[in-house]
Amino acid sequence: MGIKETLPNNGNHSTGSEPATHVVTLVEAVNLALARAMEQDENVVVLGEDVGTNGGVFRATAGLKERFGCKRVMDTPLAEALIAGISVGMAAQGLKPVAEIQFMGFAYATFEHIISHAARLRNRTRGRLHCPMVLRTPYGGGIHAPEHHCESTEALFAHIPGLRVVVPSSPTRAYGLLLAAIEDPDPVIFLEPSRIYRMVKQEIRDDGIALPLDTCFTLKAGTDITLISWGACVHETLQAARELDKQGISAEVIDVATLNPIDYATILASVEKTGRCVIIQEAVSHCSVGSEIAAMLAEKGLFFLKAPVGRVNGLDIPMPYFQRENLYMPDVHEIIATAIKTMEYA
Amino acid sequence: MGIKETLPNNGNHSTGSEPATHVVTLVEAVNLALARAMEQDENVVVLGEDVGTNGGVFRATAGLKERFGCKRVMDTPLAEALIAGISVGMAAQGLKPVAEIQFMGFAYATFEHIISHAARLRNRTRGRLHCPMVLRTPYGGGIHAPEHHCESTEALFAHIPGLRVVVPSSPTRAYGLLLAAIEDPDPVIFLEPSRIYRMVKQEIRDDGIALPLDTCFTLKAGTDITLISWGACVHETLQAARELDKQGISAEVIDVATLNPIDYATILASVEKTGRCVIIQEAVSHCSVGSEIAAMLAEKGLFFLKAPVGRVNGLDIPMPYFQRENLYMPDVHEIIATAIKTMEYA
Amino acid sequence: MQFTTTPYTEHQLIEPGGNATGTLPGWMQDQDLLLKFYRTMNLIRVFDKRAIALQRTGQMGTYASCLGQEAIGTAIGCALKTEDVFVPYYRDQAAQFLRGVPLYQLLQYWGGTEWGNHFTGTAREDFPNCVPIATQITHAAGIATAFKIRGQKRAALVTCGDGATSRGDFYEPLNLAGVWQLPMVLVVNNNQWAISVPRALQTGAPTIAQKAMAAGIEGFQVDGNDVCALYEAIRYSLDKAHAGKGATLIEAMSYRLCDHTTADDATRYRSHEEVNAAWLKEPVKRLQTFLHQRGLWDEQKEQQLITDCQQKVEQAVKDFQSQPQQPVDDLFDYLFDTTPPHLIVQRERTKQKAARLAGGNHHGH
Amino acid sequence: MQFTTTPYTEHQLIEPGGNATGTLPGWMQDQDLLLKFYRTMNLIRVFDKRAIALQRTGQMGTYASCLGQEAIGTAIGCALKTEDVFVPYYRDQAAQFLRGVPLYQLLQYWGGTEWGNHFTGTAREDFPNCVPIATQITHAAGIATAFKIRGQKRAALVTCGDGATSRGDFYEPLNLAGVWQLPMVLVVNNNQWAISVPRALQTGAPTIAQKAMAAGIEGFQVDGNDVCALYEAIRYSLDKAHAGKGATLIEAMSYRLCDHTTADDATRYRSHEEVNAAWLKEPVKRLQTFLHQRGLWDEQKEQQLITDCQQKVEQAVKDFQSQPQQPVDDLFDYLFDTTPPHLIVQRERTKQKAARLAGGNHHGH
Ligand SMILES: Cc1ncc(C[n+]2csc(CCOP(=O)(O)OP(=O)(O)O)c2C)c(N)n1
Ligand SMILES: Cc1ncc(C[n+]2csc(CCOP(=O)(O)OP(=O)(O)O)c2C)c(N)n1
Ligand SMILES: [Mg+2]
Ligand SMILES: [Mg+2]
């Protein structure tokens, strides 16, 4: 895939002038990327529940309907299977639907269309039809929300061949990766960690430049141990890395970003260098993305591992109602403790 | 859980006389177990598409409607979400629904009910309601069937806390594990490898005795390498083990059987003994049950592993239409080759 | 071509001004019942306001108000028999209360603990609030199936909103109820909005009631602000279910006078005019006027009732706030009948974490 | 209470005996079209029989016959405009053939290669057969949405069986078609059985056509063995869609004269009497009689047609059997636009495996 320095193909915005710069949160970056993509390509349409007049329950689509009209920003009836399934139909017709599922906990009804159709349309027709759709959904816990509003079941999507599964962990990456997801000619599941929707602001050049979907991002270089994470947990991971630095342990931090296909080369190279690794995820551990990375290391990296692959996971239970959700969420303390334990192996 | 030597609680069959013995295939064993469970407990009901008059498209429910009546063997309308969802309602009322999904490829529509409700009802209500249902479905490839009739997406179920996921690999285990699944007071996903539905026959004592849901089965003892598998692949794995024996490599063969929760103790003990391990599964590798087992070994077994964990998986593509499905299916040759490679590490 | 709808008449017994629309049915002689309607609606309105305040002041989580829709839950709660099973959605506070769920437990649910779903008494077989829209309808069909299999004279009553009628989980169980003649009643609270999506964008069908025809069952519209009309329609449907005569779809025409939840701001997508117009039809005032006219109510009783409701609600808030925190074990021990080994390990680890977090933690959140 | 169905009259132009039911519409003057109907139905019947034989002799995989239902696909194929998109289910061989899919390619599909879905020409935007029942209806709604967004005068025509009408994927897109006024036509092949489940156990609604009311769209029943009535109904619905006047549900009353698929044995669950009775209404003979009566057909033409159909079908079988095996690369290179690194590795490994298997393998299967 690589970085595509795509120029606007049919947008109205002048390409001569400098792109504007905005200081934005992650959810605002999503909004910026959507607007940019819609401006660049009239085939991009947005659909979902409450995405129009209301601008999305998290305001990710705010202003889009006013700007691009109700034919390109569609409030659908309340039906997730429908949202996914009509996206397949639209995408086969050459539109680029960006569908919002209000919360990941309501995405299960889309699975049949995503697994059996979106992921397979190109393969099933030997390239005759394909499915350039994006399914966006806020995900993850820590927002004191009701049941089903805090899921981290990215592994379910990541298991399916034919899908790309992408998770941004900062406003900049949200902007660049969402543009990439929309440009991509194949279906992309784009998971937005709602806990960090408004956590930090970053300056973004609204230049329409996509980030690559086939690489991990090394957010901090280090030599002693590799900390691997994605999504909201990247923040605790970075915090832990800084604490470890203070304790004289140099941690490298990798944001996996695309969970399928995974950029194994970057991960392997880092662990080859450090010899130690901790994987941090909010999801339950059983058959998860974390399991996959650990398994890959067991298969391909066994001889440079100086210590067992450490893992900090969510618990193997459904996310507790919010009074107790903090017991579920991996925290900085656990990451540090696991890293230190991993360092203790000779 | 353990082996439950359950005696019939309200059945009509005399408990004094010797239980009958039958020489049956796996699918016939499923049928025997269903009949036994229905006889033992009037709360057990069977539902699904074509399970009644037609006796199931694989004949797994043949004769049950005639024997137990149409109130306990229900042909439902064609709607998988419905089948799963009404099972939740029935189970909450104390019935023990055993629902059939005609093929695993049609189970995706059940996911919302299985993940968001079946798996959580007990936890959500702090034990007030619970969900003793079984979702049975034929699964796996190698039967020259149309698209969607050959899926091995057990990892999707295995990732979900609150579900037990069980796969039999022989008539005896099909009988005993299905009885256990039905007796279990919590939801069980029971995946029946259709490729071996009629592959071998075994003698079964129809004694109503369940097998445990919390243990792996060690099918062959060995000292040099541990081969881990489940479902239909167990057959190629055993065949490979016998070939390896001839070559002087003593392979231990473990049938995982219950994919969540997994009996890690048995697996770890075996790999501690052999120091080498190959995991064989038909599923795609990414974020799979195989990944989970390899990850567990990377975490807990690193220091007794003499070689990287070998893996023989399906390909990371959707199951090809049947002309080419044999390219997808793991075969004996691959298992042997991977085992030998694993043995070559000093 | 071949199918026609005769223009529906919304079933109504008391018009918005509080007057009877015609000769009233005999059961409306039952003054106690009418007063129970009124008292319940008032209590729930006071409760609702207090719950919103708790959320606003950070003492509770997101809350879904039932303002303006109290008649529906009240009618349901009064019409249900003890042996029936109620499968609610999240605006059925009145019905849940009448089923014996104490008010403090409703707060517990919105306050973020699973114990808020641990009903006892009449409600012990009732389902908890169902967050994934419409899925409860399928559960209700399953419950009704269990009744049918066992030959029990019981019904499952389930509710949902207008938005829910767009989902497969609305149609699939309704169709089943038709073909299996299930003892099920589905009450749709058509409050005209699904968050920001108005009814007109939810379906092209002029009524939701007519969706019953897709299932071959009976369906009709009722004035959802007329608790008496609702009660009558629900009783009719439950009696039918108990008599083994099949399922019914009731479209209760109401209006969501509140925001969707405390996380919503409805002024973004609908006009004050529309809301003000809806206030003229709301159920509490209507019944009050009716009771006044019949000499069943007066200002003094009203004052007494208000005090009474406030006391009850304050007591509920106190009870809610004095509930002990649930032990760590509870997170692990209700997933399976027998807690498996891996969860026992995680349970112990989590106890240590809880202790650490309780002791103050500089790294955590 | 408030909704009534007026008894439907199934739209019919030619009754089972081959006689006109009344004055025939003007378009039926078009002899070429009538002969096209007849020739297509015959060709597909010959094809169908041969396909079953291929399966029985192990030369092809499971096959779903369309015996007795040829009129539906034929009417669809003739009524569709080039620019429309057809979204079939698995008994639409006639329509797919008329859309330009060569017969050998239909065999390829059932013969187990994805190249059986690689349509060209008029069918190039058509969807392939959809195995998960009813999901294609949602895709069709998406296609129709694309037409609407772009302001194109095109329609999506989608088919399904009677069993499919029980699934959420039947109701959800139909509801959308109603509220968004989509240019969509849904033809239900009500062949009375969903594998072993009879229509009466699929829904309590006396007709499937009336399910249109749940979506607020038009729905009607047509004699599915009367190709002319079908053609008229479909043309009417497509014209309506092209004119921006919304969606239509057509219930085509037919009968599955065959087993469900070659993997099924229908004698297990239905009587010979029922099947024999259905044979009296089948579409091919009916049109033949009609054409004979009008002097448009004779025994000689019939003989010529049979020979012709058999030749075409034999040629298709030859073409099917002479297709080269698809290269290993194809398994990997159509999953993504650009094949990612891990699949390139697996592709190479699989090529070796293919070579090994081709060379004979004593361990494999
Ligand atoms: C399956 C699912 N999708 C989306 C949501 C988010 N959501 C919660 S309430 C709601 C609107 C429901 O509208 P309606 O059914 O009319 O009920 P009301 O809230 O108006 O009473 C939505 C979209 C959800 N809870 N479940
Ligand atoms: C979602 C789904 N469930 C189950 C099946 C298995 N199956 C294939 S055809 C069929 C019956 C379909 O009946 P109907 O819709 O009436 O079509 P017909 O075959 O009668 O033309 C079933 C249950 C499937 N293909 N997809
Ligand atoms: Mg509503
Ligand atoms: Mg049918």
Side-chain angles (χ1 to χ4, degrees):
Chain A
M1 308 267 60
I3 296 186
K4 295 176 188 165
E5 309 252 355
T6 320
L7 286 178
N9 54 13
N10 61 356
N12 303 318
H13 67 301
S14 59
T15 53
S17 66
E18 266 300 281
T21 296
H22 308 269
V23 179
V24 294
T25 60
L26 197 156
V27 67
E28 289 162 350
V30 166
N31 186 267
L32 267 188
L34 289 171
R36 170 65 45 198
M38 294 186 80
E39 202 170 281
Q40 285 180 188
D41 183 350
E42 68 179 1
N43 287 315
V44 177
V45 297
V46 163
L47 68 156
E49 295 158 11
D50 305 291
V51 297
T53 312
N54 197 37
V57 293
F58 281 108
R59 323 269 323 118
T61 56
L64 297 180
K65 184 182 152 200
E66 291 71 15
R67 196 160 153 200
F68 299 101
C70 62
K71 282 200 171 173
R72 292 184 64 198
V73 183
M74 294 168 274
D75 274 327
T76 64
L78 203 172
E80 284 73 14
L82 180 80
I83 292 170
I86 61 171
S87 295
V88 171
M90 287 192 274
Q93 271 297 313
L95 292 180
K96 287 178 154 271
V98 185
E100 175 176 304
I101 298 298
Q102 211 157 68
F103 288 90
M104 191 188 219
F106 310 131
Y108 305 128
T110 71
F111 271 33
E112 180 164 55
H113 279 288
I114 296 297
I115 297 176
S116 298
H117 298 301
R120 299 189 191 183
L121 194 60
R122 182 191 287 279
N123 187 60
R124 173 180 298 153
T125 61
R126 285 294 176 259
R128 179 171 65 86
L129 301 173
H130 64 127
C131 193
M133 67 178 275
V134 178
L135 194 84
R136 294 177 43 240
T137 187
Y139 98 116
I143 57 167
H144 261 226
E147 201 182 350
H148 306 284
H149 292 67
C150 334
E151 314 266 303
S152 290
T153 41
E154 63 266 35
L156 302 183
F157 289 111
H159 184 58
I160 303 304
L163 300 179
R164 289 182 203 277
V165 182
V166 178
V167 186
S169 67
S170 73
T172 330
R173 282 186 293 281
Y175 179 83
L177 291 172
L178 183 50
L179 282 174
I182 298 171
E183 280 173 18
D184 196 273
D186 292 302
V188 178
I189 309 298
F190 195 80
L191 305 175
E192 302 167 5
S194 45
R195 182 158 66 87
I196 59 170
Y197 255 164
R198 301 191 167 87
M199 195 188 210
V200 286
K201 291 200 173 203
Q202 279 181 334
E203 190 173 289
I204 288 183
R205 246 171 79 100
D206 186 12
D207 52 13
I209 297 183
L211 283 168
L213 292 184
D214 60 357
T215 59
C216 298
F217 297 90
T218 303
L219 302 184
K220 177 182 171 302
T223 50
D224 298 333
I225 187 166
T226 305
L227 306 182
I228 300 176
S229 192
W230 55 92
C233 282
V234 163
H235 290 262
E236 285 74 43
T237 304
L238 281 169
Q239 219 179 313
R242 284 189 291 268
E243 295 279 339
L244 288 167
D245 263 349
K246 288 185 204 151
Q247 301 182 32
I249 298 168
S250 165
E252 183 145 305
V253 176
I254 293 179
D255 174 3
V256 182
T258 297
L259 308 184
N260 189 12
I262 290 182
D263 168 18
Y264 287 131
T266 301
I267 294 175
L268 263 176
S270 173
V271 179
E272 178 157 19
K273 179 175 70 176
T274 62
R276 298 168 203 270
C277 175
V278 177
I279 302 165
I280 301 100
Q281 67 178 4
E282 196 178 307
V284 303
S285 66
H286 201 77
C287 304
S288 63
V289 177
S291 317
E292 175 57 33
I293 296 172
M296 183 275 295
L297 291 171
E299 201 182 354
K300 308 224 171 90
L302 189 75
F303 294 113
F304 42 74
L305 275 177
K306 296 178 201 144
V309 176
R311 294 184 59 186
V312 180
N313 303 302
L315 300 165
D316 282 308
I317 60 174
M319 176 67 81
Y321 282 17
F322 67 78
Q323 277 188 17
R324 285 307 214 170
E325 79 176 326
N326 62 341
L327 295 180
Y328 177 98
M329 305 289 289
D331 66 23
V332 176
H333 180 96
E334 290 165 295
I335 303 172
I336 294 174
T338 310
I340 289 176
K341 204 174 133 204
T342 304
M343 290 306 298
E344 277 163 7
Y345 288 85
Chain B
M1 308 268 54
I3 297 188
K4 297 175 188 165
E5 308 253 355
T6 318
L7 285 178
N9 53 13
N10 61 357
N12 304 317
H13 67 301
S14 60
T15 52
S17 67
E18 266 300 281
T21 296
H22 309 268
V23 179
V24 294
T25 61
L26 198 156
V27 67
E28 288 162 350
V30 165
N31 186 267
L32 267 189
L34 288 171
R36 170 66 44 198
M38 294 186 80
E39 201 170 282
Q40 285 180 187
D41 183 350
E42 67 179 0
N43 287 313
V44 177
V45 297
V46 162
L47 68 156
E49 295 158 11
D50 305 293
V51 298
T53 312
N54 197 35
V57 293
F58 282 106
R59 325 267 325 117
T61 56
L64 297 180
K65 185 182 152 200
E66 290 71 15
R67 193 157 154 204
F68 299 102
C70 61
K71 282 202 171 173
R72 292 184 65 197
V73 184
M74 295 168 272
D75 274 326
T76 65
L78 203 171
E80 284 74 12
L82 180 80
I83 292 170
I86 62 171
S87 295
V88 171
M90 287 192 275
Q93 270 297 313
L95 292 181
K96 288 179 154 269
V98 184
E100 174 176 305
I101 298 298
Q102 210 157 69
F103 288 91
M104 192 189 219
F106 310 131
Y108 305 129
T110 71
F111 271 33
E112 180 164 54
H113 279 288
I114 296 298
I115 297 176
S116 299
H117 298 301
R120 298 188 192 183
L121 193 60
R122 181 191 288 277
N123 187 58
R124 173 180 297 152
T125 61
R126 285 294 177 258
R128 179 171 64 88
L129 300 173
H130 66 127
C131 193
M133 66 179 274
V134 177
L135 194 84
R136 293 177 45 240
T137 187
Y139 97 116
I143 57 167
H144 262 226
E147 201 182 350
H148 306 284
H149 292 67
C150 335
E151 314 265 303
S152 291
T153 42
E154 63 265 36
L156 302 183
F157 289 112
H159 184 58
I160 303 304
L163 300 178
R164 289 181 202 276
V165 182
V166 178
V167 187
S169 66
S170 73
T172 330
R173 282 186 293 282
Y175 179 83
L177 291 173
L178 182 51
L179 281 174
I182 298 171
E183 280 173 17
D184 195 272
D186 291 301
V188 178
I189 310 297
F190 195 80
L191 306 175
E192 302 166 5
S194 44
R195 183 158 65 87
I196 59 169
Y197 256 164
R198 302 191 167 88
M199 195 186 207
V200 286
K201 291 200 173 204
Q202 279 182 333
E203 189 173 290
I204 288 185
R205 245 172 80 99
D206 186 12
D207 53 10
I209 297 183
L211 283 168
L213 292 183
D214 60 358
T215 59
C216 298
F217 296 89
T218 303
L219 302 184
K220 174 182 174 305
T223 50
D224 299 333
I225 187 165
T226 305
L227 307 182
I228 300 175
S229 192
W230 55 92
C233 282
V234 163
H235 291 262
E236 285 74 42
T237 303
L238 281 169
Q239 218 179 314
R242 284 188 292 266
E243 295 280 339
L244 288 167
D245 263 350
K246 289 186 203 149
Q247 302 182 31
I249 298 168
S250 164
E252 182 144 308
V253 175
I254 293 179
D255 174 3
V256 182
T258 296
L259 308 184
N260 190 13
I262 290 182
D263 168 17
Y264 287 131
T266 301
I267 294 175
L268 263 175
S270 174
V271 179
E272 178 159 16
K273 177 176 72 178
T274 61
R276 299 169 202 270
C277 174
V278 177
I279 302 164
I280 302 98
Q281 66 178 4
E282 195 178 307
V284 304
S285 66
H286 202 76
C287 304
S288 62
V289 177
S291 316
E292 175 57 33
I293 296 171
M296 182 277 294
L297 291 172
E299 203 183 351
K300 307 224 172 88
L302 191 74
F303 295 114
F304 42 75
L305 275 177
K306 297 179 201 147
V309 176
R311 294 183 60 185
V312 179
N313 303 302
L315 299 165
D316 281 308
I317 60 173
M319 176 66 82
Y321 282 18
F322 67 77
Q323 276 188 16
R324 285 306 215 170
E325 79 176 328
N326 62 340
L327 296 180
Y328 177 98
M329 305 289 288
D331 65 24
V332 176
H333 179 96
E334 289 166 295
I335 302 171
I336 294 174
T338 308
I340 289 176
K341 204 174 133 204
T342 304
M343 291 307 298
E344 278 164 4
Y345 288 86
Chain C
M1 288 190 202
Q2 279 90 3
F3 301 104
T4 54
T5 15
T6 60
Y8 56 80
T9 20
E10 210 176 287
H11 184 52
Q12 199 182 57
L13 293 171
I14 306 177
E15 53 80 52
N19 305 303
T21 53
T23 323
L24 292 175
W27 66 265
M28 278 183 72
Q29 306 284 330
D30 184 347
Q31 303 186 358
D32 290 347
L33 183 58
L34 299 184
L35 292 176
K36 186 177 177 188
F37 289 163
Y38 187 66
R39 292 208 169 92
T40 306
M41 292 199 291
N42 268 286
L43 177 65
I44 292 304
R45 189 161 286 187
V46 172
F47 170 81
D48 197 76
K49 197 171 172 189
R50 190 68 175 91
I52 294 174
L54 284 172
Q55 190 282 332
R56 297 269 186 252
T57 52
Q59 299 172 77
M60 207 181 65
T62 306
Y63 173 74
S65 162
C66 62
L67 185 67
Q69 300 142 83
E70 299 88 349
I72 301 173
T74 300
I76 291 170
C78 291
L80 278 169
K81 305 265 183 217
T82 304
E83 62 273 19
D84 294 331
V85 165
F86 179 47
V87 185
Y89 92 119
Y90 45 80
R91 294 195 209 278
D92 289 311
Q93 290 88 337
Q96 291 187 303
F97 167 74
L98 289 168
R99 295 286 288 172
V101 180
L103 293 178
Y104 84 85
Q105 203 169 11
L106 297 180
L107 296 176
Q108 274 189 302
Y109 172 76
W110 297 104
T113 163
E114 292 82 351
W115 285 104
N117 293 324
H118 190 268
F119 311 150
T120 50
T122 306
R124 78 187 174 281
E125 294 180 43
D126 289 356
F127 263 50
N129 285 350
C130 185
V131 179
I133 298 290
T135 51
Q136 71 275 12
I137 309 172
T138 311
H139 305 154
I143 295 165
T145 301
F147 296 158
K148 180 125 189 173
I149 290 173
R150 291 178 172 148
Q152 292 171 319
K153 216 181 134 188
R154 303 169 72 186
L157 189 148
V158 58
T159 57
C160 71
D162 45 311
T165 65
S166 293
R167 287 197 106 219
D169 270 294
F170 172 83
Y171 299 99
E172 291 187 357
L174 216 60
N175 184 59
L176 187 77
V179 67
W180 286 3
Q181 289 260 74
L182 295 178
M184 178 171 123
V185 180
L186 170 52
V187 180
V188 178
N189 173 354
N190 179 358
N191 63 11
Q192 313 302 329
W193 292 90
I195 308 187
S196 71
V197 180
R199 222 289 334 216
L201 292 183
Q202 203 63 244
T203 182
T207 72
I208 286 171
Q210 79 194 70
K211 289 178 188 272
M213 285 196 59
I217 65 169
E218 186 179 10
F220 47 83
Q221 282 189 326
V222 181
D223 183 337
N225 292 314
D226 178 351
V227 66
C228 294
L230 280 166
Y231 176 81
E232 189 167 78
I234 296 165
R235 278 305 303 267
Y236 162 81
S237 309
L238 283 172
D239 289 349
K240 198 173 90 180
H242 293 144
K245 294 195 177 139
T248 315
L249 171 66
I250 299 176
E251 178 182 9
M253 308 298 288
S254 74
Y255 192 86
R256 199 191 77 207
L257 290 172
C258 45
D259 289 332
H260 170 68
T261 64
T262 51
D264 177 51
D265 172 7
T267 61
R268 266 203 210 111
Y269 51 78
R270 65 181 189 185
S271 70
H272 284 298
E273 292 70 43
E274 182 182 308
V275 180
N276 290 342
W279 268 108
L280 301 178
K281 300 189 188 171
E282 68 90 12
V284 181
K285 183 76 194 158
R286 182 186 309 201
L287 186 61
Q288 194 195 53
T289 312
F290 178 83
L291 294 176
H292 265 294
Q293 286 179 359
R294 306 263 148 165
L296 297 172
W297 203 247
D298 58 31
E299 197 43 44
Q300 199 201 323
K301 283 182 181 153
E302 180 74 13
Q303 282 313 319
Q304 179 56 42
L305 176 63
I306 292 175
T307 318
D308 194 48
C309 289
Q310 272 162 353
Q311 271 172 8
K312 283 198 176 114
V313 167
E314 285 318 310
Q315 187 57 48
V317 172
K318 261 193 216 125
D319 291 348
F320 162 57
Q321 289 173 334
S322 61
Q323 290 300 313
Q325 194 174 40
Q326 72 172 323
V328 173
D329 303 67
D330 290 9
L331 272 58
F332 298 90
D333 291 352
Y334 293 101
L335 205 54
F336 297 103
D337 179 46
T338 314
T339 306
H342 71 289
L343 289 186
I344 294 176
V345 172
Q346 293 185 22
R347 188 174 69 191
E348 291 319 302
R349 215 190 321 124
T350 307
K351 280 184 186 168
Q352 290 163 22
K353 179 168 177 174
R356 165 166 63 78
L357 292 177
N361 158 36
H362 299 290
H363 302 308
H365 291 241
Chain D
M1 288 189 201
Q2 279 90 5
F3 301 102
T4 54
T5 14
T6 60
Y8 57 80
T9 21
E10 211 177 285
H11 183 53
Q12 199 182 57
L13 293 170
I14 307 178
E15 53 82 52
N19 304 302
T21 53
T23 325
L24 291 176
W27 66 265
M28 279 183 72
Q29 306 285 331
D30 183 347
Q31 303 187 356
D32 289 347
L33 184 58
L34 299 184
L35 292 176
K36 186 176 176 190
F37 289 162
Y38 186 66
R39 292 208 168 93
T40 307
M41 291 199 291
N42 268 287
L43 177 64
I44 293 304
R45 189 162 287 187
V46 172
F47 170 81
D48 198 77
K49 196 171 172 186
R50 189 69 174 90
I52 294 174
L54 284 172
Q55 190 283 332
R56 297 268 186 252
T57 52
Q59 300 173 76
M60 207 180 64
T62 306
Y63 173 74
S65 161
C66 61
L67 184 68
Q69 301 142 84
E70 300 89 350
I72 301 173
T74 300
I76 290 171
C78 291
L80 277 170
K81 304 267 181 214
T82 304
E83 63 273 18
D84 294 331
V85 165
F86 179 48
V87 184
Y89 91 120
Y90 46 79
R91 294 196 209 277
D92 289 311
Q93 289 90 335
Q96 290 187 305
F97 168 73
L98 289 168
R99 294 288 286 173
V101 180
L103 293 178
Y104 83 85
Q105 202 167 13
L106 297 181
L107 297 175
Q108 274 190 301
Y109 172 76
W110 297 104
T113 163
E114 292 82 352
W115 286 104
N117 294 323
H118 190 268
F119 310 151
T120 51
T122 306
R124 78 187 172 284
E125 294 180 44
D126 290 356
F127 263 50
N129 286 350
C130 186
V131 179
I133 299 290
T135 53
Q136 71 276 14
I137 309 173
T138 311
H139 305 153
I143 294 165
T145 301
F147 297 158
K148 179 125 190 172
I149 289 174
R150 292 178 170 150
Q152 292 171 319
K153 218 181 132 184
R154 305 169 70 186
L157 189 149
V158 58
T159 56
C160 70
D162 46 310
T165 66
S166 293
R167 285 198 108 216
D169 269 294
F170 171 83
Y171 299 99
E172 291 187 358
L174 216 60
N175 184 59
L176 187 78
V179 67
W180 286 2
Q181 289 258 75
L182 296 178
M184 178 170 126
V185 179
L186 170 53
V187 180
V188 178
N189 174 354
N190 180 357
N191 63 12
Q192 313 302 328
W193 291 90
I195 309 185
S196 71
V197 179
R199 223 290 334 216
L201 291 184
Q202 203 63 246
T203 182
T207 73
I208 286 170
Q210 78 194 72
K211 289 177 189 273
M213 285 198 60
I217 65 169
E218 187 180 7
F220 47 83
Q221 281 189 327
V222 180
D223 183 336
N225 292 316
D226 177 352
V227 66
C228 295
L230 280 165
Y231 176 80
E232 187 166 79
I234 296 167
R235 279 304 303 267
Y236 162 81
S237 308
L238 282 172
D239 288 349
K240 198 173 88 180
H242 293 143
K245 295 194 177 141
T248 315
L249 172 67
I250 298 175
E251 178 183 8
M253 307 299 287
S254 74
Y255 192 86
R256 201 191 77 208
L257 290 172
C258 45
D259 288 333
H260 170 68
T261 63
T262 50
D264 178 51
D265 172 8
T267 61
R268 264 201 212 114
Y269 50 80
R270 64 181 190 185
S271 69
H272 283 298
E273 292 71 41
E274 182 183 309
V275 180
N276 290 341
W279 267 107
L280 300 178
K281 300 188 188 172
E282 68 90 11
V284 180
K285 183 77 194 156
R286 182 185 311 200
L287 187 60
Q288 194 195 51
T289 312
F290 178 83
L291 293 176
H292 266 293
Q293 286 179 358
R294 305 263 149 169
L296 297 172
W297 202 248
D298 56 32
E299 196 44 43
Q300 197 201 325
K301 284 182 181 153
E302 180 74 13
Q303 282 313 320
Q304 179 56 42
L305 176 63
I306 291 174
T307 318
D308 195 47
C309 290
Q310 272 162 353
Q311 270 170 7
K312 283 200 176 111
V313 168
E314 285 318 311
Q315 187 56 49
V317 172
K318 259 192 218 127
D319 291 348
F320 162 58
Q321 288 173 333
S322 62
Q323 290 300 313
Q325 193 173 43
Q326 73 173 323
V328 173
D329 302 67
D330 290 9
L331 271 58
F332 299 89
D333 290 353
Y334 293 100
L335 204 54
F336 297 102
D337 180 46
T338 314
T339 306
H342 71 288
L343 289 187
I344 293 176
V345 172
Q346 293 185 22
R347 188 175 68 193
E348 292 319 302
R349 215 189 322 124
T350 307
K351 281 184 186 168
Q352 290 164 21
K353 178 168 177 173
R356 166 167 62 80
L357 292 178
N361 158 37
H362 300 288
H363 301 309
H365 292 245

